[in-house]
Amino acid sequence: MALSFSTPPSTATASLTPFQAKIPTAKLDELETLIKLAKLAPPTYENSQLDRRYGVSTDWLVTMRDLWLRSYHWKSTEDRINTFPQYTTEIEGLTIHFVGLFSKRKDAVPLLLLHGWPGSFLEFLPILQKFREEYTPETLPYHLIVPSLPGYTFSSGPPLDRDFEIGDIARVVDKLMKSLGFGGGYVAQGGDIGSRIARHLGVEHESCKAVHVNVVFMRKPDGLTDDHLNASEIQGVKRMLNFVTTGAGYAMEQGTRPSTIGHVLASSPIALLAWIGEKFLEWVDDPLAPDDILESVTLYWLTETFPRAIYTYRANYPPPPLPSSNDPRWYIHKPFGFSSFPMELAPLPRSWIETTGDLVFWEQHPKGGHFAALEQPDELKTDLIKFVDQVWPGIIGAE
C-alpha cells in the first residue's frame, strides 16, 4: 500500500524507484559478532576522565556497547524509517536516496533539507513526523525533500575516478530538485556541511530562491570589534575558539588523512562508536538518548558511510586563505535566514553572520546545539515556516 505524502508533482521528470530500508540478517549478525569481539583500550588516566576532557571515557563506551548488544534493535529504526516515503534516482551516475513528503497543493513551497556529518537524513525525521501529523497530503503547504548526500547512508558516491567537492554536491541536489518538478524555485535549509551546500546553492543556482541555515563557519569580519557584543555573543565567540583549539582534531585527521581514518573506523564498530559518539555528546545541549546515538552509528556502520562521507573535509586543508563565508564571492544575494542555538560549535554574533548574506530573518534560541533538527525540531520547524512565510510571497510576486 502506498504511503501518504508519496506522490510527486505531475511536473516531475525524474525516474524514481521507491525505496525501503532493509538490511540483510547476515549483516546484522556480523555487526553483533564484531561488537562482541572488539577489544577495548587498557585503562589509562585519559580514558578514565568522566568529564570527557580527553575524549569519551571507557565507562561510557562499555555502557553503550552493552546497550547496543542488549536493548537497541535496528529493526525498530528500520521500521520507523520505512514509515516515510523514500526513493532513489540516478543523477550524474550516482544513486541518490531521499526521503520526501509531497503535497498535493499546487502552491506548496518546495523545501530542501540538508544534513551534514556525522548526521544523516535521520536528523530530519522528527520534523517530517510533525508535519505529517499536522497536515494531510491535501493541506500540506510544503514539499519536504531530505536527500542523503552523495557518500552517505543509502546514496552511492562520491565518484572513485575524480575529485568531488561541496560545489559538486550542490549541483547534484539542485538537479534532484529540478527533476522533482521544482525548477521554478525552492528554499534550501542546512546545518553543518548542509549549511555550506545551501550557500553554494544560493550563490550558484538560480532555482534556489532563499537560504536558511543554523551555522556559519567564518572568522571575524574585517573592521568589526568586540566592543558592541553582549555577554552571550562574547560567550559564543569563546565557544567557537575553544572548539577550534581543543575540539577540531577530528576535522584535521579527516581532512588530511581521510584514507587512514577511513580504514581505521571501517574495521571496528566500537571504534566508530567512539569517534562519532563523542560528537553526539559534545555538540549538543541536553544529552541525546542512547538509542538516538546508537541508531545513527548503526546506520553509518551498516551502510559503510564513514569512509565515503568525509571527503568534504579535504577542502579545508591546507586552510584556505579566506574562509568561504568571508569571501565576497560567496555572499548570498537572496533572502537569507538564520537560527542561532547557544550550544552550536560556532554560535556567532548576528553582526558577523549578516556580513555573509542578505539577512532578513534571525531567531535566537535559549537552548539547542549542533544537531538542531534532532535536538529542537519544534523550534527549527517554526523558524523555517516563519522564514518561508516572510520571503516566499515576494519571491513568487517577483516572477
Side-chain angles (χ1 to χ4, degrees):
M1 185 176 67
L3 296 173
S4 296
F5 303 98
S6 61
T7 305
S10 59
T11 52
T13 59
S15 176
L16 300 177
T17 301
F19 180 87
Q20 292 269 284
K22 186 169 179 58
I23 301 298
T25 301
K27 204 161 190 175
L28 296 173
D29 291 343
E30 179 190 64
L31 170 60
E32 182 177 0
T33 298
L34 291 172
I35 295 171
K36 290 177 177 177
L37 292 177
K39 290 189 65 175
L40 296 177
T44 65
Y45 172 77
E46 291 81 8
N47 65 32
S48 65
Q49 303 305 306
L50 300 183
D51 61 5
R52 301 192 303 275
R53 74 184 79 167
Y54 302 117
V56 295
S57 68
T58 300
D59 283 356
W60 179 83
L61 202 56
V62 168
T63 298
M64 293 294 284
R65 179 194 63 185
D66 292 347
L67 290 174
W68 213 353
L69 289 171
R70 296 174 185 172
S71 65
Y72 173 74
H73 301 288
W74 166 255
K75 188 65 166 61
S76 297
T77 296
E78 196 171 73
D79 289 345
R80 182 167 71 96
I81 291 171
N82 289 335
T83 66
F84 293 91
Q86 301 169 80
Y87 296 91
T88 59
T89 188
E90 300 298 311
I91 300 175
E92 296 186 4
L94 305 178
T95 299
I96 301 299
H97 163 265
F98 70 93
V99 183
L101 295 186
F102 292 108
S103 173
K104 294 186 177 180
R105 287 177 51 165
K106 298 295 186 183
D107 62 346
V109 182
L111 305 182
L112 172 65
L113 307 178
L114 297 162
H115 68 80
W117 184 93
S120 69
F121 70 91
L122 288 178
E123 288 180 65
F124 288 105
L125 295 190
I127 288 180
L128 297 190
Q129 175 66 20
K130 292 177 182 298
F131 274 111
R132 72 177 181 180
E133 289 173 353
E134 185 175 350
Y135 298 101
T136 66
E138 290 73 24
T139 62
L140 181 65
Y142 317 99
H143 301 287
L144 297 129
I145 308 300
V146 185
S148 295
L149 301 182
Y152 285 77
T153 65
F154 300 117
S155 286
S156 68
L160 299 180
D161 59 350
R162 65 186 187 277
D163 204 2
F164 197 79
E165 299 177 339
I166 294 287
D168 298 299
I169 303 174
R171 185 183 64 255
V172 166
V173 296
D174 180 68
K175 287 184 176 180
L176 171 66
M177 294 300 280
K178 289 176 179 176
S179 71
L180 293 175
F182 308 137
Y186 60 86
V187 176
Q189 197 289 324
D192 191 76
I193 292 166
S195 71
R196 295 169 58 197
I197 299 168
R199 182 170 293 275
H200 275 257
L201 288 167
V203 172
E204 295 184 322
H205 297 275
E206 177 60 30
S207 293
C208 180
K209 301 297 186 182
V211 173
H212 178 278
V213 301
N214 41 280
V215 66
V216 171
F217 295 104
M218 61 184 296
R219 58 164 173 76
K220 183 192 296 184
D222 294 337
L224 287 187
T225 68
D226 294 342
D227 297 342
H228 66 290
L229 301 183
N230 60 38
S232 64
E233 290 175 326
I234 291 173
Q235 189 60 37
V237 173
K238 287 181 178 178
R239 178 167 172 77
M240 179 194 70
L241 294 175
N242 183 65
F243 167 72
V244 171
T245 303
T246 66
Y250 79 97
M252 182 174 289
E253 178 68 22
Q254 291 178 184
T256 61
R257 291 295 183 269
S259 176
T260 301
I261 193 63
H263 282 300
V264 169
L265 298 189
S267 67
S268 167
I270 293 297
L272 187 68
L273 173 61
W275 190 265
I276 290 180
E278 178 191 272
K279 310 314 172 195
F280 284 115
L281 294 173
E282 295 293 318
W283 296 356
V284 299
D285 197 332
D286 292 332
L288 295 178
D291 270 13
D292 287 338
I293 299 174
L294 288 173
E295 75 172 8
S296 285
V297 176
T298 303
L299 177 63
Y300 264 48
W301 179 266
L302 294 174
T303 57
E304 300 181 325
T305 285
F306 181 84
R308 303 186 298 125
I310 56 174
Y311 57 94
T312 58
Y313 284 84
R314 287 189 289 103
N316 297 324
Y317 297 94
L322 195 65
S324 61
S325 297
N326 289 91
D327 191 327
R329 293 174 298 175
W330 295 105
Y331 185 95
I332 299 173
H333 293 278
K334 294 175 181 177
F336 178 39
F338 193 88
S339 295
S340 180
F341 295 90
M343 295 304 286
E344 178 56 78
L345 303 181
L348 298 178
R350 177 173 182 163
S351 59
W352 292 27
I353 303 297
E354 63 189 9
T355 67
T356 73
D358 291 347
L359 189 69
V360 299
F361 176 89
W362 173 278
E363 193 69 44
Q364 182 72 51
H365 294 281
K367 289 186 67 64
H370 186 65
F371 303 99
L374 190 61
E375 297 177 65
Q376 302 289 331
D378 284 313
E379 288 75 7
L380 190 61
K381 172 178 175 282
T382 298
D383 287 0
L384 192 53
I385 291 172
K386 287 181 180 178
F387 176 65
V388 171
D389 286 348
Q390 177 182 329
V391 306
W392 193 256
I395 291 169
I396 296 301
E399 295 183 345

